[in-house]
């Protein structure tokens, strides 16, 4: 019979609790955590600093399960899109990216998404379910193993789903990835992206160590944002920006505002000026992301003149802004393109 509890998604404190129930000292939880998340070991039998009897009892009572790497697609720009098949048959995607500032793993937080942003293919899937912390960390673990990657690297929760609608598992994932006995990533290497779920953004703001926070803004008027991002019907731009202002950023820390430029929709000089008015006095940077045109969505990439004029207005106002051309466009791994499961045998079946 399949053991119910998968220890892979447990925090060190939860591991200690599980072990305490069988009379084990708390430090065994730390050892187990280290094996899984520092050494990438998924077999109790190989955890050589645990007593043999403990290894056997763990194996009979618990599961250690990461993710089944189903397929990978290599982009010509060096990024790789991964498809994972979950235990219930659902599929999710994650992306390995080589950026100027190092390797970044873009992971999913949900199967599908309920937020319904009109420029995003994931929205077309609708919402299926939240990912567990084991499934979120599992994406990192599987890509790490596939690429023989060692920390530190960056993790962005910008794949499929709205991480703040899966807050408990997002927080647990942050805890696991930042724990010194595991990956030991600095919170500053992890970015949580949100479409603007204000209530849970304020909850996230209570963390002792804030991750980097990215707000997907994409419009400068409520009228347009209501259309592009239904979340705006609940929390208007002013409320979102007020919540951003209240976040306890450290000195020198900046929020990131993502702005997908949709040709002829939100890329005018008036939009740029309103963006300056909204964000001008915030500690932030703006990522301008030219839309990746796709036949399924009714938008086009902005023309280069509009893009340059938009950027120039932000720069003249000393608003830090960068144009980010999405990577992995040739394999459907670019921003807003994670959605379509591809078919075929899993990698593990083929080897
Ligand atoms: S952009 Fe993000 S929040 Fe919006 S539908 Fe897509 S995955 Fe969900």
């Amino acid at each position: 019979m399949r053991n119910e509890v998968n220890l892979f998604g447990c925090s060190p404190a939860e591991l200690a609790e599980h072990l305490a129930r069988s009379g084990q000292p708390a430090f065994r939880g730390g050892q187990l955590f280290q094996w899984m998340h520092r050494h990438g070991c998924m077999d109790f039998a190989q955890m050589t600093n645990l007593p043999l009897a403990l290894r056997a009892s763990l194996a009979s009572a618990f599961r250690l399960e990461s993710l089944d790497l189903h397929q990978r697609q290599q982009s010509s720009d060096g990024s790789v899109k991964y498809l994972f098949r979950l235990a219930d048959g659902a599929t999710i995607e994650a992306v390995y990216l080589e950026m100027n500032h190092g390797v970044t793993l873009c992971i999913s937080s949900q199967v599908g998404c309920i937020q319904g942003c009109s420029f995003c293919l994931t929205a077309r899937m609708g919402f299926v379910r939240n990912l567990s912390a084991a499934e979120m960390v599992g994406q990192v673990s599987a890509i790490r193993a596939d690429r023989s990657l060692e920390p530190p690297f960056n993790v962005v929760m910008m794949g499929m789903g709205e991480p703040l609608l899966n807050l408990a598992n997002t927080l647990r994932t942050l805890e696991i990835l930042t724990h010194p006995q595991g990956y030991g990533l600095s919170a500053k290497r992890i970015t949580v992206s949100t479409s603007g779920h204000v209530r849970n953004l304020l909850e996230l703001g209570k963390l002792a160590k804030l991750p980097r926070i990215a707000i997907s803004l994409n419009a400068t008027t409520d009228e347009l944002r209501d259309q592009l991002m239904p979340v705006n019907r609940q929390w208007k731009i002013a409320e979102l920006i007020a919540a951003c202002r209240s976040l306890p950023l450290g000195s020198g820390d900046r929020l990131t505002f993502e702005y997908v430029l949709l040709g002829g929709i939100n890329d005018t000089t008036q939009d740029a000026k309103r963006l300056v008015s909204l964000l001008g006095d915030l500690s932030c940077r703006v990522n301008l992301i030219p839309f990746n045109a796709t036949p399924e969505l009714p938008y086009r990439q902005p023309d280069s003149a509009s893009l340059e004029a938009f950027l120039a207005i932000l720069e003249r106002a000393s608003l830090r802004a960068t144009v980010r051309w999405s990577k992995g466009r040739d394999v459907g791994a670019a921003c807003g393109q994670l959605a379509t499961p591809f078919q075929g045998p899993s990698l593990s079946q083929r080897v």
Side-chain angles (χ1 to χ4, degrees):
M1 200 178 72
R2 192 167 186 259
N3 292 323
E4 279 307 309
V5 180
N6 179 13
L7 293 184
F8 187 68
C10 291
S11 67
E14 289 166 331
L15 288 176
E17 270 174 40
H18 282 304
L19 290 170
R21 275 186 221 120
S22 36
Q24 295 293 327
F27 75 88
R28 294 285 184 216
Q31 289 177 314
L32 183 50
F33 188 85
Q34 244 176 15
W35 278 111
M36 290 187 285
H37 299 296
R38 181 173 296 173
H39 306 302
C41 173
M42 298 296 288
D43 181 357
F44 292 117
Q46 291 178 23
M47 299 181 178
T48 48
N49 59 356
L50 302 184
L52 272 175
L54 175 59
R55 287 184 243 168
S57 73
L58 286 171
S60 66
F62 299 105
R63 284 186 291 135
L64 261 195
E65 211 168 83
S66 180
L67 288 189
D68 175 20
L69 175 51
H70 190 62
Q71 285 190 352
R72 76 167 86 71
Q73 282 182 300
Q74 175 83 45
S75 163
S76 56
D77 64 21
S79 47
V80 183
K81 180 167 83 166
Y82 289 90
L83 182 93
F84 298 99
R85 186 171 295 287
L86 310 179
D88 61 1
T91 49
I92 52 163
E93 294 176 334
V95 186
Y96 165 92
L97 298 150
E98 289 174 357
M99 317 282 276
N100 294 340
H101 50 280
V103 165
T104 295
L105 309 184
C106 175
I107 65 170
S108 294
S109 55
Q110 298 179 312
V111 183
C113 186
I114 203 170
Q115 295 298 73
C117 303
S118 65
F119 50 84
C120 171
L121 276 182
T122 307
R124 296 276 173 117
M125 296 174 65
F127 174 69
V128 181
R129 69 170 174 85
N130 282 332
L131 295 184
S132 65
E135 290 165 333
M136 291 172 73
V137 178
Q139 297 166 66
V140 176
S141 158
I143 297 175
R144 175 192 180 188
D146 188 58
R147 312 290 310 178
S148 302
L149 193 63
E150 282 307 318
F153 42 75
N154 305 304
V155 175
V156 295
M157 296 184 190
M158 291 186 182
M160 296 161 66
E162 161 60 70
L164 295 190
L165 282 178
N166 185 11
L167 187 62
N169 290 325
T170 292
L171 295 182
R172 195 182 303 189
T173 299
L174 284 171
E175 185 183 355
I176 292 172
L177 293 178
T178 55
H179 198 282
Q181 285 180 296
Y183 291 88
L185 297 181
S186 152
K188 300 292 168 234
R189 284 190 172 272
I190 304 175
T191 302
V192 176
S193 171
T194 179
S195 57
H197 191 288
V198 167
R199 189 178 59 237
N200 287 357
L201 178 61
L202 295 173
E203 278 304 305
L204 185 73
K206 293 177 185 166
L207 284 181
K209 287 187 186 163
L210 268 192
R212 292 202 187 281
I213 296 172
I215 314 290
S216 186
L217 189 60
N218 309 315
T220 55
T221 65
D222 284 322
E223 189 186 7
L224 179 59
R225 198 164 191 268
D226 282 354
Q227 291 170 33
L228 298 178
M229 304 183 72
V231 66
N232 200 70
R233 296 173 201 160
Q234 187 168 9
W235 286 290
K236 298 296 181 193
I237 293 175
E239 202 174 348
L240 174 59
I241 301 296
C244 291
R245 277 184 211 291
S246 76
L247 291 169
L249 299 184
S251 72
D253 287 350
R254 294 174 188 282
L255 294 170
T256 299
F257 287 87
E258 309 282 347
Y259 194 98
V260 177
L261 282 161
L262 306 165
I265 304 282
N266 65 356
D267 63 342
T268 65
T269 52
Q270 288 81 1
D271 288 300
K273 287 175 187 164
R274 279 192 295 263
L275 194 56
V276 168
S277 306
L278 282 172
L279 306 182
D281 60 345
L282 263 173
S283 176
C284 70
R285 76 183 76 238
V286 178
N287 284 340
L288 297 175
I289 306 165
F291 178 70
N292 300 295
T294 172
E296 294 92 336
L297 297 173
Y299 299 112
R300 65 171 171 80
Q301 195 169 296
D303 57 55
S304 48
S306 309
L307 178 55
E308 280 165 28
F310 199 104
L311 180 62
I313 289 170
L314 269 47
E315 286 177 340
R316 269 203 302 279
S318 302
L319 192 53
R320 287 175 186 234
T322 313
V323 177
R324 294 226 186 273
W325 293 95
S326 288
K327 289 189 159 238
R329 286 188 279 178
D330 55 340
V331 294
C335 289
Q337 285 188 347
L338 298 186
T340 321
F342 33 82
Q343 305 295 319
S346 75
L347 290 170
S348 53
Q349 285 165 338
R350 277 189 259 146
V351 291

